[in-house]
Amino acid sequence: MHPKLVSIGAFYLPTYGVMLAIAYLVAIALLTKKAEREGLPRNEISDLSIAILAAAILGAKALLAIVDFKEYLADPASASELIRSGGVFQGGLIAATVVGLWYIRKHRLPAWRITDMAAPSIALGEAIGRWGCLAAGCCYGKPTNVPWAITFRNPFAHGAVGTPLNVPLHPTQIYLSLNALLLFAICEWVYRHKKFDGQVFWIYVLGYALTRVLLGAAVIAPR
């Protein structure tokens, strides 16, 4: 676990934030490439990508602030960590979806075609971003004795996100990354063979919801 990628005095660059930035850039590049192949307007797709990126970042941080509201209320100074933290994936997904659909409707773009193009990008972005979770120690799993258990030892992670230290845990961050990578592969295959617009998007939504619930019940520690 390595929550601080670079640390100079009081300043540090969070590994989670760097991985999240890489995830967003890869996802946007994949979406843009598909849009160009489909003959959609490049400028509007680029603007859509930027709007989605901004919404995802703000939505993820907003949900984190809501989830950890009591901690921030008890220690207002800790709220500054929101600037460095990546936030909660679900918050970013919801905000990005709402803003994306608003933009698509405003510019009269083909909504279902674009959501089909975006679904694999979202899955691939999560697959990359979850390694940032592993570095930060967030989204940790339940205690376990399985041979591949992971033990966190960095006090900073415990103080920042409550990661249990010196306890073997399920490496849920890796599970979630592999799950997202599988969803990406499925969505990419369906995208190439889809029968109707919207098919890829709904496969991703249903697949994500189902696997997230199952993983949450089985191995993710309750917060």
Side-chain angles (χ1 to χ4, degrees):
M1 182 177 64
H2 193 68
K4 297 181 180 180
L5 186 63
V6 177
S7 183
I8 304 174
F11 170 81
Y12 70 90
L13 187 63
T15 308
Y16 184 99
V18 172
M19 292 303 299
L20 201 62
I22 294 172
Y24 284 138
L25 290 173
V26 170
I28 288 173
L30 184 62
L31 172 60
T32 304
K33 186 176 181 180
K34 279 188 170 69
E36 289 178 349
R37 210 181 293 139
E38 293 267 355
L40 295 174
R42 180 184 178 86
N43 289 341
E44 289 185 357
I45 295 300
S46 296
D47 290 345
L48 171 62
S49 298
I50 293 171
I52 288 175
L53 173 59
I57 293 172
L58 294 175
K61 291 179 183 295
L63 186 55
L64 178 62
I66 293 171
V67 171
D68 291 342
F69 177 74
K70 290 183 179 179
E71 285 79 359
Y72 294 136
L73 191 63
D75 182 16
S78 66
S80 62
E81 287 299 318
L82 279 171
I83 298 174
R84 294 190 181 97
S85 66
V88 180
F89 173 77
Q90 289 86 349
L93 178 61
I94 292 170
T97 300
V98 171
V99 170
L101 291 176
W102 167 80
Y103 185 95
I104 287 170
R105 183 171 182 178
K106 178 182 178 181
H107 293 272
R108 298 181 180 179
L109 296 170
W112 290 117
R113 282 175 62 195
I114 292 177
T115 54
D116 278 349
M117 290 185 282
S121 296
I122 296 171
L124 183 58
E126 185 193 0
I128 296 170
R130 287 299 178 184
W131 289 93
C133 293
L134 181 64
C138 62
C139 306
Y140 52 85
K142 295 178 180 179
T144 181
N145 292 318
V146 297
W148 56 87
I150 186 169
T151 302
F152 296 100
R153 305 187 189 280
N154 194 308
F156 178 82
H158 176 72
V161 294
T163 310
L165 302 182
N166 305 311
V167 179
L169 305 172
H170 274 290
T172 50
Q173 304 91 338
I174 298 176
Y175 298 162
L176 291 167
S177 178
L178 294 175
N179 177 65
L181 195 60
L182 176 61
L183 287 174
F184 165 71
I186 292 172
C187 287
E188 276 288 292
W189 185 88
V190 175
Y191 180 77
R192 293 187 177 93
H193 302 86
K194 67 176 184 175
K195 305 299 181 183
F196 57 89
D197 289 337
Q199 182 181 6
V200 186
F201 174 76
W202 285 112
I203 284 176
Y204 169 74
V205 170
L206 295 174
Y208 175 81
L210 177 61
T211 54
R212 188 66 174 76
V213 168
L214 292 175
L215 285 170
V219 298
I220 299 177
R223 301 295 186 267

